[in-house]
Amino acid sequence: VVFYYSYRDLIRKVLYYLQNPVEADAIARKGREAVWSPSQLIDHVLDIVVGIGCKAKIFLHIPLHRLNRELKTVVYGFKSNTRAQIVENPADADFVVLDLMWITWKGLMSKQLREVLENLHDKMGKTIVVFDWGDETFPWYWDARIKYYFKRSRVDKSSDRFNVIYPYGFNMSLLPPLYYPLKPAWADAMAEELKDGPSRAQRPVDVSCLFSF
C-alpha cells in the first residue's frame, strides 16, 4: 500500500510509480497477497480471542434485519467461516460480538449498551468482543468490561503516531487491528482478470481506487 498526505503528494507518487513499473508491480503483488476475505477476517478475530486454529460459538448482538456496509460483510464472514458457529442464545456462546457504532453514540453510554454489558457480562460472565469501524483514532466508546476491542483506525495520520487513551494511559497500538475485507466476488473477479490480462504497458487504466461494501 502507498499512502499520500495531500493531493500534490498523490500526483507526485502516481507519476513516480508510472515511471517505475517494477516497483509498482512489486507493491501490487504484495497487495494482492494481503487481501483478506470476510472469512479470513474472522480467522484473525478467532485467533486472537480463542486461540490460533480454535473454534468458537458466537452470539452476534447485531441487527440482522438491518445489515449494511461493514455489518453485512462481518456477518457473512462469521457464517462462511468453518471455525465459527453462530448461536441464538447468548448462554451457549463462548463470546458475544457487538458493533459499537450501531449500539451506542460516540463517547456516550446508551441504554442498550448498558443493558448488554450488565446482562451478558456482569450477570452471565460472557466475554465481550467489539468491532469499531469508525474513522476516529480513538475508541468510539470505552468500557473496561470490553475484553477485545478491534479497531480499524488507530493511527493519527497528521502525526503518524498511535494515540494514547486517557485516563487509562495505554497506546492505541495495543488494540488489535480491524481490516476491511474484499468481497469474495471482487477478489475472484480481480484475480481472474489479471491472470491472463495485458501487460502494464497495454492496460488502459494504470491507477485504480477501490472502496466498496
Side-chain angles (χ1 to χ4, degrees), residues 2-17:
V2 177
F3 294 97
Y4 65 90
Y5 298 95
S6 65
Y7 290 127
R8 179 174 295 181
D9 185 42
L10 168 63
I11 294 172
R12 181 181 66 81
K13 288 178 177 175
V14 166
L15 293 175
Y16 173 83
Y17 286 109

Side-chain angles (χ1 to χ4, degrees), residues 60-67 71 99 102:
L60 301 179
H61 198 282
I62 291 174
L64 300 181
H65 62 287
R66 294 196 312 175
L67 289 182
L71 286 183
D99 184 276
W102 169 77

Side-chain angles (χ1 to χ4, degrees), residues 70-82:
E70 298 92 346
L71 286 183
K72 186 175 182 179
T73 305
V74 166
V75 172
Y76 176 84
F78 275 111
K79 289 183 176 180
S80 61
N81 191 293
T82 58

Side-chain angles (χ1 to χ4, degrees), residues 27-41:
I27 295 172
R29 284 192 296 270
K30 288 294 185 181
R32 287 181 62 192
E33 294 171 2
V35 169
W36 278 5
S37 69
S39 180
Q40 288 172 314
L41 170 64

Side-chain angles (χ1 to χ4, degrees), residues 154-206:
R154 301 181 300 153
V155 177
D156 184 349
K157 290 296 196 304
S158 64
S159 63
D160 286 334
R161 296 176 181 271
F162 289 101
N163 283 338
V164 176
I165 304 172
Y166 296 104
Y168 304 98
F170 69 86
N171 197 293
M172 286 288 287
S173 65
L174 299 177
L175 299 183
L178 190 60
Y179 305 102
Y180 276 125
L182 266 185
K183 288 182 177 179
W186 275 82
D188 293 343
M190 291 173 63
E192 183 65 26
E193 188 69 23
L194 292 173
K195 183 176 63 175
D196 300 316
S199 65
R200 175 178 294 276
Q202 298 173 314
R203 296 177 195 167
V205 178
D206 292 294

